[in-house]
Amino acid sequence: MTRRKQWLELESAFRLTEFVKREFGLTPGEAHAELCGDDLKVHLTRALTPIGLIISQDAQGAEALRCVYSVLYKANRSAMESIVGRIAGAPARCRQMDIDLESANVTLCFQVDAVSSVHRE
């Protein structure tokens, strides 16, 4: 693994953790990122708040929670793309955000253009 690739993964995980803490009110227990080709996946574990975990136990609560996070994701998508783009030095597009209510994990998936240069350095 190149140092640049490792730095991109670590910095993305750190910066996005700080972002979701500030903007979503989530406090992930751990975060890590994986760069495979032009795809960057950032995994935030134990990312839901205690009240979110309680609400998600009920089917209606889980659906409401998904709706809330969907709105937050859509409202903050461009800011997250900007964060990753600045770190990568290339345009980034956030393709999706997956929330696993059972495990309280959140995964953010980005496509980072021209990131193949990161692999060569």
Side-chain angles (χ1 to χ4, degrees), residues 22-40:
R22 186 177 64 249
E23 300 298 325
F24 289 35
L26 300 177
T27 53
E30 296 178 17
H32 71 279
E34 299 171 84
L35 180 64
C36 294
D38 289 344
D39 293 327
L40 176 70

Side-chain angles (χ1 to χ4, degrees), residues 37-55:
D38 289 344
D39 293 327
L40 176 70
K41 288 188 179 184
V42 180
H43 305 279
L44 309 173
T45 60
R46 299 183 311 278
L48 298 180
T49 62
I51 192 69
L53 290 172
I54 292 169
I55 291 170

